[in-house]
Amino acid sequence: MIFEQAANSLIPPAFPDAWQADLLAQLAEAETVLAWAEQDLDLQLCFGKGMLVLTAQRLLTKRAGEAEWQSHLLRDGLRLQQHDHAGVASLELFDAAARIAQWRYTLNHGPAAQHLIERFALQLDSLRSGQPVPEPEHAHCPKCKAELDADAEECPVCTREIHQPPSTWTLLRLWRFAKPYQGQLLLGFLLMLGSTAATLVSPYLTMPLMDEVLIPYQNGASIELSTVGLYLGGMLMAALVSWGLGWAKTYILALVSERISADLRTTTYEHLLQLSLEYFGGKRTGDLMSRIGSESDRISVFLSLHALDFITDVLMLVMTTIILFSINPWLALATLLPLPLIAWLIHLVRDRLRTGFEKIDRVWGEVTSVLADTIPGIRVVKAFAQEQREAARFREANKHNLYINDKLNKVWSLFSPTVSLLTDIGLLVVWAFGIWLIAHHNVTVGTLTAFLAYIGRFYGRLDSMSRIVSVTQKSAAAAKRIFDILDHVSNVPEPTRPVQLKQVSGQIELRDIRFRYGNRAVIKGLGLTIRPGEMVGLVGHSGSGKSTLVNLICRFYDVSEGAILLDGTDIRSLPVADFRRHIGLVLQEPFLFFGTIAENIAYGKPDATREEIIAAARAAHAHEFILRLPLGYDSLVGERGQGLSGGERQRISIARALLIDPRILILDEATSSVDTETEKEIQKALDNLVKGRTTIAIAHRLSTLRQADRLVVMDRGEIVEVGPHDELMAREGAYWRLYQAQARNVDTDPDDAE
Amino acid sequence: MSHTMQFQLSRNSFGRLVLESAEHGRHEGVVPVRAFPVAAPDKGIALVSTDGHEVGWIDELSALNATTRALVEQELASREFMPELLQLVSVSSFATPSTWQVRTDRGPTELILKGEEDIRRIGREGLLVLDSHGVQFLIRDLAQLDRHSRRLLDRFL
Ligand SMILES: Nc1ncnc2c1ncn2[C@@H]1O[C@H](COP(=O)(O)OP(=O)(O)O)[C@@H](O)[C@H]1O
Ligand SMILES: [Mg+2]
């Protein structure tokens, strides 16, 4: 025990418990554990648990699938190296002559391994120099490099990966949207109670009508008009009351449910807009549109019609049961006998139907997706004469839709008739039992008539209630798909403790950032500091990660590792909207919304005055061509609006960026898709824009970056060269080769020149 | 059509493949990359140098001599990681994100499915399941899965 205590103190508390005892047996006295990394694969890439531990003296490892620990003493010349491919990382230990050891693991163990590599390097340095390892002044999160508080166990920036599935009681979650209307809902419910009770009066009155009027008449007594009038009048009154209350109830509840679904729709859309580009990248437009559009409508219909009917039915059932039992318990028992059977049947089919309807929804999304894919790309479709193929694709999606529907309908079509059959049999039971009871003089004919009148409704409702199963499942499926959006936490979440930047000077620091799309590493350990007001030109051939870098700086995506800092503050701790307000973005393909030119220019600042709009347009060299349009600044652009050329659109988007007067300006191939003449025009507009702002410009034509303070040459997600034009030209490196290639007007890889 | 280039392949002490050819010279650390990993895994394999250039091309694996072929296959095996899903043991929920306990051809493991769109159709019967850490799980033929797995999977399709 004492031994364990002593050794324990050398193993950091965060070390995984499962390995603790195993490792203790291996450690020498007073051997300190510095870092560790778990593995989840063996060398044959089969799943299995392994561990690599760095102590002050050696690397200790127990590989997945091996029984024994191995140890590698630290010595000069050792080198650890990590790389990854297709979702699997490999860590290798080399000395000068050969590879000594290798470990494999999936990417979730990557950061730990990275941390171990860094500690390993420090440890070797200290071994070589004899100096102790310098203690870092601040602990840094191994994953994102954010500074950690001394006592913080987890990095506040990183601990937001949420893998909790939402609960399956999806429909009940709609309560969140119903809550604001609880007053109206209660009123509606009371009205419902009243109207339902009123409908139950008239079958009740058939009983005395039969026993006191009709039967005595048949036996020779005369009909007393006043009694008849009383009963019939009662029936009429009940009908009128039920009508009035029913109307009020339906109206109120329909209003409420419409509002609930409208709230649901807007909330979902608002949430959707907050989600990161990554989310939109993975979703298809048609699918999202159908979720927010038709599926919220389905929920509304469900609430206002089906759910309402269902509750009415349940109320009626309960009241009827009470009445029946109060009249004659035995007959009541016989009447209710088929009920459990039907309930069981409903339960049986429920599951199949639910999954079936969920499937139908998804297939429906597929059908709309085909449309949403094709219609925006119609130019390409026509240019390549692929109308037939697209039609076939649609037909295929429809066929799939049909198939799924057919399959479901098999179950569904059997379901309703079976319920009808059961209710018919139920009626038969009541008739038989009733006749038997009358024959034995226990019961009057009137009672039996009343029972039959009641259960006629009763079973009729059961049939329609069974339908609730399908609509409930349908709307539960719809609700689930909507909550799927609502539950999705943005990958660029708002900070929990937002930091406000009062004055932004525009310094951007990229601190050892890494980024991957899925398992594909696109930015690999990139560091750069951009001074306030500096203009940096990003160059490198297509696919080298320039746009990705810009996306990261704009926080359209969050870095996988490392950090981006604005004026020394991690951009993840700034409120997203506040941060973006400082950024003006001009893209290669400017997007104009449907609306007037003025509205498009003022998109980022809707309250801009006309003077401001015109000033921005002037500075963007857009003023004159706008004036040439028949409606000037009021011309409609965007979908079905006034057609504009690429250069004109681009200048409008430059004006848009100018108007918000951002501290940071990002130009991603802003002039690449226009001819040289227009480019000159745009270039002049840009020169206005760039003045005094931190600018990151990506350009394919290197000549457009002449006035950049520094040029950054990127290659495969890394920076290969940084410096001003002249210096880079003198160096005759990657930039020089790019430049030469363009001067010769051939587009070659920089590496090909080697 | 391109045909298999002439080259020699060997492995150095660092565990890296070394390619030598008249056309491209000597390259250390070349990696084989399948052009159609799913549709035609054994046809069309490029040998790519560390700086990302193609320095060799193999039309068909079976056309190589035994040693070279073994080298290429070893290297492919150590780079390719697409566990084949054999069975879904259980899922934490039918709503995503959902944690699945699965059995694969590389042993049992668990995966986190972030969203239904991370299950992608490949061809007629195949599915690709992308887990939250970027590992891709392959289901070659949906019809070959057992009933239980299929029923679980069905809820996500
Ligand atoms: N949304 C995305 N999903 C997956 N990969 C992407 C995505 N966007 C870009 N990539 C890949 O990332 C790499 C860098 O792309 P990008 O930053 O657009 O390059 P550049 O702007 O330098 O031409 C490319 O290989 C590209 O295929
Ligand atoms: Mg780009």
Side-chain angles (χ1 to χ4, degrees):
Chain A
M1 256 4 251
I2 292 165
F3 163 75
E4 195 170 315
Q5 201 75 34
N8 238 343
S9 60
L10 302 177
I11 299 182
F15 188 82
D17 293 337
W19 290 95
Q20 220 84 209
D22 214 1
L23 178 65
L24 263 179
Q26 299 296 320
L27 288 181
E29 194 135 342
E31 191 172 5
T32 328
V33 172
L34 300 175
W36 65 89
E38 281 181 276
Q39 292 89 42
D40 53 1
L41 294 173
D42 64 16
L43 289 182
Q44 282 69 49
L45 298 185
C46 291
F47 292 102
K49 302 222 169 297
M51 173 58 98
L52 171 64
V53 174
L54 173 72
T55 72
Q57 289 79 32
R58 55 185 176 152
L59 281 167
L60 262 171
T61 181
K62 184 168 174 182
R63 289 223 203 80
E66 286 175 15
E68 295 299 320
W69 285 79
Q70 286 177 11
S71 133
H72 304 278
L73 277 185
L74 299 191
R75 60 189 154 89
D76 209 11
L78 283 184
R79 174 161 66 87
L80 267 178
Q81 202 176 328
Q82 176 179 237
H83 65 93
D84 66 75
H85 172 76
V88 198
S90 160
L91 181 68
E92 291 166 299
L93 178 67
F94 298 100
D95 67 9
R99 178 169 69 189
I100 301 170
Q102 190 183 12
W103 298 265
R104 312 293 304 260
Y105 42 90
T106 62
L107 291 178
N108 42 337
H109 297 300
Q114 186 66 38
H115 178 62
L116 188 135
I117 294 173
E118 281 158 20
R119 282 310 306 255
F120 177 80
L122 287 177
Q123 202 61 29
L124 275 192
D125 280 348
S126 107
L127 217 66
R128 216 168 336 190
S129 63
Q131 302 289 322
V133 174
E135 274 301 312
E137 313 98 77
H138 287 285
H140 285 260
C141 166
K143 192 167 171 199
C144 70
K145 307 276 186 299
E147 277 174 21
L148 292 180
D149 293 338
D151 51 349
E153 285 210 352
E154 288 176 315
C155 170
V157 182
C158 288
T159 48
R160 51 184 155 73
E161 270 190 86
I162 297 172
H163 290 310
Q164 278 302 309
S167 106
T168 35
W169 287 87
T170 326
L171 272 178
L172 285 186
R173 298 180 59 197
L174 286 173
W175 176 243
R176 174 179 144 200
F177 293 92
K179 208 156 174 234
Y181 304 101
Q182 42 185 319
Q184 280 115 303
L185 283 173
L186 184 68
L187 179 65
F189 182 73
L190 291 178
L191 287 171
M192 188 190 285
L193 264 180
S195 78
T196 311
T199 55
L200 294 178
V201 170
S202 63
Y204 199 87
L205 291 181
T206 57
M207 198 163 44
L209 205 59
M210 189 65 77
D211 288 340
E212 291 168 29
V213 181
L214 290 177
I215 305 266
Y217 172 72
Q218 214 172 28
N219 295 340
S222 63
I223 290 182
E224 225 167 293
L225 279 180
S226 62
T227 327
V228 174
L230 188 70
Y231 289 140
L232 291 186
M235 283 183 181
L236 181 67
M237 277 307 293
L240 283 176
V241 168
S242 152
W243 171 78
L245 294 181
W247 169 76
K249 150 207 103 169
T250 311
Y251 181 66
I252 288 180
L253 293 180
L255 279 190
V256 171
S257 72
E258 205 54 63
R259 272 164 188 65
I260 291 176
S261 78
D263 289 352
L264 181 68
R265 200 156 29 224
T266 40
T267 311
T268 314
Y269 185 56
E270 277 165 18
H271 187 83
L272 183 69
L273 288 182
Q274 298 297 325
L275 294 177
S276 73
L277 278 190
E278 189 180 350
Y279 185 81
F280 289 92
K283 298 281 179 198
R284 305 174 81 178
T285 317
D287 180 50
L288 288 179
M289 274 160 54
S290 97
R291 284 192 200 198
I292 293 182
S294 55
E295 283 172 33
S296 63
D297 193 54
R298 176 178 295 166
I299 291 179
S300 157
V301 170
F302 166 76
L303 291 178
S304 62
L305 286 179
H306 304 294
L308 212 58
D309 282 352
F310 183 73
I311 298 172
T312 314
D313 290 344
V314 170
L315 281 178
M316 185 137 102
L317 246 166
V318 172
M319 292 186 196
T320 311
T321 311
I322 294 171
I323 296 172
L324 290 187
F325 269 98
S326 71
I327 303 176
N328 186 318
W330 284 109
L331 198 52
L333 220 57
T335 316
L336 299 176
L337 215 61
L339 195 63
L341 206 69
I342 296 175
W344 175 73
L345 193 79
I346 291 172
H347 175 76
L348 202 72
V349 185
R350 169 177 293 152
D351 238 30
R352 295 193 126 190
L353 287 177
R354 182 180 53 217
T355 51
F357 285 121
E358 245 182 71
K359 237 189 189 146
I360 286 179
D361 279 352
R362 254 180 247 136
V363 171
W364 191 236
E366 225 168 85
V367 173
T368 29
S369 282
V370 174
L371 291 180
D373 278 354
T374 315
I375 294 172
I378 193 69
R379 274 178 73 180
V380 182
V381 175
K382 287 193 175 296
F384 288 89
Q386 293 295 317
E387 291 94 336
Q388 297 277 340
R389 194 188 45 204
E390 292 303 330
R393 210 151 70 92
F394 189 68
R395 209 176 307 128
E396 190 65 33
N398 251 328
K399 223 161 77 188
H400 194 49
N401 184 15
L402 266 184
Y403 168 75
I404 302 270
N405 267 294
D406 288 352
K407 224 168 106 181
L408 186 69
N409 284 337
K410 250 184 239 159
V411 185
W412 180 231
S413 57
L414 194 67
F415 185 56
S416 293
T418 313
V419 173
S420 299
L421 179 70
L422 283 173
T423 60
D424 286 348
I425 292 176
L427 271 174
L428 246 130
V429 171
V430 178
W431 269 108
F433 193 59
I435 291 171
W436 183 80
L437 283 178
I438 293 175
H440 290 73
H441 298 288
N442 284 331
V443 160
T444 63
V445 176
T447 310
L448 181 61
T449 327
F451 261 71
L452 288 172
Y454 272 120
I455 63 161
R457 287 165 186 246
F458 188 104
Y459 279 142
R461 297 318 299 170
L462 257 193
D463 189 22
S464 83
M465 273 173 82
S466 69
R467 233 161 268 155
I468 191 76
V469 177
S470 88
V471 288
T472 311
Q473 303 311 350
K474 268 190 193 182
S475 34
K480 181 200 157 219
R481 283 157 58 76
I482 288 180
F483 279 109
D484 267 354
I485 297 180
L486 282 174
D487 289 333
H488 198 94
V489 188
S490 175
N491 294 55
V492 288
E494 289 289 342
T496 39
R497 275 169 299 168
V499 179
Q500 303 291 343
L501 281 187
K502 279 189 207 69
Q503 198 79 52
V504 173
S505 67
Q507 188 210 48
I508 301 171
E509 185 189 343
L510 311 173
R511 191 184 282 172
D512 193 16
I513 58 172
R514 283 160 206 278
F515 179 73
R516 54 182 93 242
Y517 290 111
N519 62 18
R520 183 147 160 236
V522 176
I523 301 285
K524 306 161 189 159
L526 188 149
L528 180 71
T529 304
I530 303 170
R531 294 186 304 273
E534 186 185 23
M535 177 174 178
V536 166
L538 268 185
V539 301
H541 41 103
S542 169
S544 54
K546 304 181 298 288
S547 299
T548 306
L549 189 63
V550 159
N551 283 340
L552 292 175
I553 294 176
C554 293
R555 225 189 147 205
F556 292 148
Y557 298 85
D558 268 345
V559 291
S560 320
E561 286 166 46
I564 298 176
L565 300 100
L566 173 66
D567 292 356
T569 313
D570 192 323
I571 59 173
R572 279 170 295 196
S573 55
L574 300 172
V576 181
D578 275 11
F579 171 65
R580 297 233 177 96
R581 199 161 299 141
H582 300 301
I583 296 182
L585 184 62
V586 182
L587 297 173
Q588 178 171 6
E589 287 296 329
F591 188 86
L592 299 187
F593 294 96
F594 175 73
T596 67
I597 289 194
E599 283 165 356
N600 264 292
I601 294 178
Y603 187 74
K605 191 181 173 190
D607 56 349
T609 63
R610 293 204 182 85
E611 289 70 34
E612 284 177 309
I613 292 175
I614 290 174
R618 278 220 173 87
H621 289 246
H623 185 62
E624 286 169 4
F625 89 75
I626 293 173
L627 291 183
R628 281 199 292 274
L629 298 173
L631 288 176
Y633 280 86
D634 289 328
S635 311
L636 285 176
V637 291
E639 215 179 335
R640 278 190 290 280
Q642 171 86 38
L644 293 177
S645 76
E648 289 164 343
R649 288 163 166 275
Q650 192 56 283
R651 277 175 279 168
I652 290 180
S653 77
I654 291 172
R656 187 192 280 164
L658 261 176
L659 188 65
I660 61 171
D661 189 23
R663 288 308 312 147
I664 299 163
L665 183 66
I666 295 176
L667 309 168
D668 189 350
E669 313 244 6
T671 58
S672 294
S673 60
V674 295
D675 55 276
T676 28
E677 203 51 40
T678 322
E679 185 186 351
K680 279 203 194 104
E681 196 77 7
I682 293 176
Q683 201 58 46
K684 274 188 258 166
L686 286 178
D687 291 346
N688 280 329
L689 194 48
V690 164
K691 258 174 236 149
R693 300 173 214 275
T694 307
T695 304
I696 300 172
I698 301 176
H700 190 65
R701 297 190 191 111
L702 299 180
S703 52
T704 53
L705 296 175
R706 280 309 253 299
Q707 77 271 39
D709 299 305
R710 275 192 301 167
L711 291 159
V712 174
V713 186
M714 284 185 65
D715 186 32
R716 273 177 240 117
E718 283 162 317
I719 293 180
V720 289
E721 268 184 345
V722 186
H725 174 79
D726 299 334
E727 191 185 310
L728 292 183
M729 287 303 282
R731 198 185 291 173
E732 301 203 351
Y735 178 76
W736 178 80
R737 284 194 296 274
L738 271 178
Y739 198 87
Q740 293 299 323
Q742 279 201 2
R744 287 200 309 272
N745 209 8
V746 262
D747 192 6
T748 23
D749 259 22
D751 311 289
D752 289 348
E754 281 168 324
Chain B
M1 282 270 43
S2 67
H3 19 166
T4 304
M5 293 177 206
Q6 288 307 307
F7 56 78
Q8 269 85 49
L9 218 52
S10 57
R11 191 182 289 280
N12 68 10
S13 63
F14 294 99
R16 302 283 183 258
L17 284 186
V18 180
L19 174 140
E20 276 170 286
S21 75
E23 202 175 334
H24 292 283
R26 183 187 155 88
H27 286 274
E28 276 192 24
V30 294
V31 289
V33 179
R34 295 189 207 265
F36 300 97
V38 179
D42 288 343
K43 301 242 161 69
I45 296 172
L47 293 166
V48 178
S49 70
T50 44
D51 54 10
H53 289 290
E54 180 180 350
V55 291
W57 175 261
I58 301 164
D59 268 338
E60 206 155 335
L61 258 185
S62 54
L64 294 176
N65 66 41
T67 37
T68 315
R69 182 172 172 182
L71 280 174
V72 173
E73 279 178 342
Q74 266 169 27
E75 192 66 19
L76 280 172
S78 83
R79 285 170 56 78
E80 291 183 328
F81 186 63
M82 205 189 275
E84 201 169 317
L85 251 175
L86 303 177
Q87 188 188 15
L88 268 78
V89 180
S90 65
V91 303
S92 68
S93 86
F94 292 117
T96 52
S98 169
T99 309
W100 295 9
Q101 303 293 333
V102 297
R103 217 163 53 73
T104 72
D105 60 341
R106 295 172 187 267
T109 186
E110 73 174 36
L111 68 96
I112 297 169
L113 183 76
K114 267 196 299 192
E116 281 149 9
E117 64 281 353
D118 286 339
I119 304 182
R120 304 204 180 119
R121 260 177 201 291
I122 301 194
R124 287 224 150 263
E125 307 79 35
L127 287 178
L128 206 59
V129 183
L130 189 70
D131 109 309
S132 69
H133 295 294
V135 178
Q136 293 179 324
F137 292 82
L138 180 70
I139 298 174
R140 261 191 213 287
D141 187 353
L142 199 54
Q144 296 294 310
L145 287 183
D146 60 293
R147 253 179 84 80
H148 175 69
S149 306
R150 247 181 311 158
R151 196 152 45 192
L152 288 181
L153 194 64
D154 218 34
R155 298 291 295 268
F156 295 91
L157 294 181

